[in-house]
Amino acid sequence: MNLEKADHDNGVVLRVEDIHKTYGKNEILKGVSFHIKKGETIVIIGASGSGKSTLLRCINQLTIPEKGRIWLEGEEVTHHMKEISHFRQRIGMVFQDFNLFDHLCAVRNVEIGLIKVKKMDKKQAREIAMEELRRVGLERQANQYPAQLSGGQKQRVSIARALAMNPTVMLFDEPTSALDPELIGEVLEVMRDLAMGGMTMVVVTHEMGFARSVANEIIFIEGGKILDQGTPHKLFTNPEHERTRQFICKIDELYGKTEK
Amino acid sequence: MNTMHFITDILFPPLLEGLGVTLRLIVYSVPFGFIAGILIAVGRVYGNKLISTFCFLYTLFFRGAPLLVQLFILYFALPSIGLYLSSFTAAVIGFILCSAAYHSEYIRGAIQSIKSGQMMAAEALGMSKIQAVSSIILPQALRRAIPGCSNEIIYLVKYSSLAYMVACVELTGAGKVIASRYFEYTLVFSIVGIIYLIMTSVVTIGLNSLERKMEIPGIGK
Ligand SMILES: Nc1ncnc2c1ncn2[C@@H]1O[C@H](COP(=O)(O)OP(=O)(O)O)[C@@H](O)[C@H]1O
Ligand SMILES: [Mg+2]
């Protein structure tokens, strides 16, 4: 099978195949496979500790899986650590606790990847960085340091930082879980705009309102495997497993029926 | 002979010369000791097993053995393998090696206090380990290491007097010569002590203002 050719023809941006990851004696991921096409949004849900973050980190090889392969636009990412920088530049990542560079103001957080990794000249990098900050509504905060920003603003800067690299796909790891409830909306709005603008996104979140309205597909991870997957409509109304229904009910209990 | 005359005509000329040597010892030792300290800390934290072990053994030895013994080795023992160092060079090398060991421990602690997410975010952008360490980790860690490293620099100002033991006549040595010739221990060493106090005060104030200048807005206070 020639996946490279096939993925290219079918518009598959990211293909994850049979990923296994073990920490110590715990097999966290026991063979996870999925793929995402250009412009789609996949939402991943699953209990805390089920390996969602581990899975995202495997995609850009921040964590190396023992087994399994990853392709980005038909090119194999796994087993190519020498070229990993080129893949990572095309895979934007947004973290639960932001991980903004604390010693740099907002605009420098956004431009540093362009300057250090893409070797862009400073003036051009600054222009792009300001453009991205404008896109997330934070151009007025350009010179503020992370410690001077609210949680929601920090997360928007971190989205701008990832977008500045002009990625092919964006990974979000619970981007709103560390935020006060009143700040969640502004981050989801940016993400929704991105999805509408055609960005390909893999989003770990329990914001079911967002999943319902934005996701093309929801993946439910349990016991290191994908237990259920399908359109939001299918998972909410007619999941394969009773366990999926229970989990979705539990999310609604925990986070409220966020209809947004 | 009146005291004023003794101080200005007999004591000050050799003391100033000694002070010049002390300042040169410090000016050479501090920056190189600090830079070597950074390299050893980085090697210890991010190096492979070989490099990391080497850096560990380095700090173990240079923090563990008395500085005076290290200076004796550099000055008196190395000639036996054909390496002759001037007393000034031996002292500077000894100070650099020793202060590097202490700096590296302060810096290592600071590096390890930086949350792992910083490295992860840097690598996720496509930075290499070296880029991430030099432009993300160290700028933050070195800020946190300033108080510890300041401490070491102030120590160095004072332990520079050990150079006298390998025949490098610096401030303390110059004082000792005059003091024993004229039997004026109290006066001479009071003045020498005050000069060290002035030097350490200047360094302290300078490093404090550096620390304030490097403060990241929104953090601290
Ligand atoms: N670096 C690591 N070393 C050891 N165990 C880890 C590491 N990272 C994650 N784990 C373990 O793997 C499991 C899955 O973690 P994670 O992927 O963070 O789950 P989730 O994001 O779904 O909450 C957890 O039990 C966690 O303790
Ligand atoms: Mg997680």
Side-chain angles (χ1 to χ4, degrees):
Chain A
M1 173 175 59
N2 186 347
L3 273 171
E4 294 180 26
K5 175 107 177 57
D7 277 356
H8 196 268
D9 291 349
N10 302 332
V12 172
V13 169
L14 180 71
R15 179 181 294 279
V16 171
E17 193 182 273
D18 197 30
I19 294 295
H20 290 254
K21 180 67 197 174
T22 304
Y23 282 122
K25 281 193 190 134
N26 298 333
E27 193 175 13
I28 306 299
L29 300 175
K30 304 177 183 170
V32 174
S33 307
F34 69 90
H35 66 269
I36 180 166
K37 288 188 175 175
K38 191 165 171 42
E40 284 185 346
T41 296
I42 287 185
V43 161
I44 299 177
I45 59 175
S48 172
S50 60
K52 305 179 297 296
S53 300
T54 305
L55 177 61
L56 290 193
R57 285 199 306 268
C58 284
I59 292 175
N60 62 0
Q61 302 283 288
L62 289 174
T63 293
I64 311 290
E66 288 91 41
K67 186 165 176 263
R69 300 168 79 181
I70 314 274
W71 284 269
L72 184 66
E73 295 181 305
E75 289 174 77
E76 186 169 357
V77 178
T78 29
H79 313 114
H80 289 87
M81 280 315 275
K82 278 218 179 75
E83 296 105 74
I84 196 61
S85 170
H86 294 283
F87 289 113
R88 285 177 180 162
Q89 290 174 47
R90 289 155 61 193
I91 304 175
M93 191 163 199
V94 173
F95 303 88
Q96 181 172 349
D97 41 9
F98 327 125
N99 294 334
L100 286 182
F101 305 131
D102 291 329
H103 63 303
L104 301 176
C105 65
V107 68
R108 296 200 56 210
N109 260 279
V110 180
E111 72 188 11
I112 193 162
L114 297 172
I115 294 170
K116 298 287 174 190
V117 181
K118 288 200 190 288
K119 312 287 184 202
M120 195 177 278
D121 73 66
K122 291 196 172 152
K123 193 156 162 281
Q124 196 188 354
R126 178 58 59 102
E127 273 167 26
I128 293 176
M130 286 308 296
E131 186 65 36
E132 295 302 343
L133 283 179
R134 208 166 296 133
R135 162 138 71 149
V136 299
L138 288 174
E139 53 182 325
R140 282 180 41 231
Q141 280 74 19
N143 294 315
Q144 304 215 346
Y145 284 76
Q148 300 170 313
L149 298 172
S150 73
Q153 292 173 331
K154 280 188 226 185
Q155 196 57 295
R156 282 147 68 199
V157 172
S158 99
I159 293 172
R161 175 176 68 181
L163 289 175
M165 302 298 279
N166 194 20
T168 311
V169 56
M170 288 278 288
L171 312 178
F172 293 84
D173 190 1
E174 303 206 43
T176 59
S177 296
L179 298 178
D180 292 336
E182 73 270 21
L183 302 178
I184 291 176
E186 62 189 67
V187 172
L188 291 182
E189 201 177 299
V190 167
M191 292 169 59
R192 182 169 293 129
D193 287 349
L194 261 184
M196 295 309 151
M199 178 57 78
T200 311
M201 321 208 302
V202 179
V203 185
V204 174
T205 186
H206 294 117
E207 291 295 331
M208 286 300 114
F210 175 85
R212 201 186 305 260
S213 62
V214 177
N216 299 86
E217 186 175 15
I218 298 180
I219 288 177
F220 174 45
I221 294 195
E222 170 112 329
K225 288 194 160 160
I226 293 178
L227 191 67
D228 232 322
Q229 74 189 106
T231 62
H233 182 75
K234 180 193 159 209
L235 257 79
F236 287 127
T237 57
N238 188 24
E240 302 265 323
H241 291 82
E242 180 54 24
R243 180 75 192 103
T244 312
R245 191 193 309 279
Q246 285 170 1
F247 185 77
I248 288 172
C249 284
K250 211 164 68 187
I251 295 175
D252 277 349
E253 260 171 47
L254 286 173
Y255 299 86
K257 284 192 177 18
T258 38
E259 207 54 62
K260 189 168 184 284
Chain B
M1 181 172 58
N2 79 40
T3 312
M4 213 48 224
H5 166 77
F6 173 74
I7 292 176
T8 54
D9 290 10
I10 295 174
L11 181 58
F12 267 16
L15 272 199
L16 283 180
E17 214 164 295
L19 176 61
V21 176
T22 293
L23 290 176
R24 281 200 299 137
L25 285 169
I26 294 168
V27 164
Y28 286 115
S29 305
V30 166
F32 289 110
F34 183 65
I35 291 165
I38 294 173
L39 295 177
I40 292 160
V42 169
R44 177 89 185 271
V45 179
Y46 298 107
N48 60 26
K49 226 188 178 105
L50 190 76
I51 293 172
S52 176
T53 308
F54 169 81
C55 294
F56 167 70
L57 292 175
Y58 178 93
T59 38
L60 193 69
F61 177 78
F62 286 99
R63 282 200 314 166
L67 178 56
L68 193 52
V69 173
Q70 295 172 33
L71 292 178
F72 284 165
I73 291 174
L74 284 166
Y75 187 64
F76 295 115
L78 288 188
S80 69
I81 58 161
L83 209 57
Y84 295 88
L85 300 175
S86 75
S87 48
F88 180 81
T89 311
V92 167
I93 291 176
F95 297 157
I96 289 174
L97 294 176
C98 174
S99 68
Y102 282 94
H103 280 308
S104 80
E105 285 297 279
Y106 292 121
I107 295 165
R108 180 172 70 92
I111 289 175
Q112 285 169 339
S113 77
I114 305 291
K115 278 193 295 174
S116 63
Q118 296 284 306
M119 176 60 98
M120 219 190 326
E123 292 195 286
L125 283 176
M127 286 192 200
S128 65
K129 261 257 156 51
I130 292 174
Q131 286 175 326
V133 169
S134 65
S135 52
I136 304 300
I137 305 297
L138 281 181
Q140 297 182 55
L142 292 181
R143 281 179 167 90
R144 289 187 196 182
I146 291 176
C149 292
S150 299
N151 207 23
E152 172 55 23
I153 290 168
I154 287 160
Y155 270 121
L156 196 155
V157 170
K158 294 184 293 173
Y159 65 62
S160 67
S161 62
L162 286 178
Y164 179 51
M165 304 304 284
V166 289
C168 174
V169 183
E170 40 60 75
L171 181 59
T172 309
K176 172 86 186 335
V177 172
I178 303 295
S180 38
R181 186 179 304 154
Y182 293 87
F183 236 75
E184 283 280 9
Y185 290 101
T186 312
L187 179 63
V188 170
F189 284 118
S190 299
I191 290 175
V192 167
I194 288 168
I195 295 175
Y196 277 108
L197 195 60
I198 291 169
M199 284 194 288
T200 52
S201 302
V202 169
V203 171
T204 305
I205 291 165
L207 290 170
N208 279 350
S209 87
L210 177 72
E211 189 178 345
R212 264 195 315 273
K213 208 181 279 163
M214 300 304 287
E215 213 163 68
I216 297 165
I219 294 177
K221 290 286 147 60

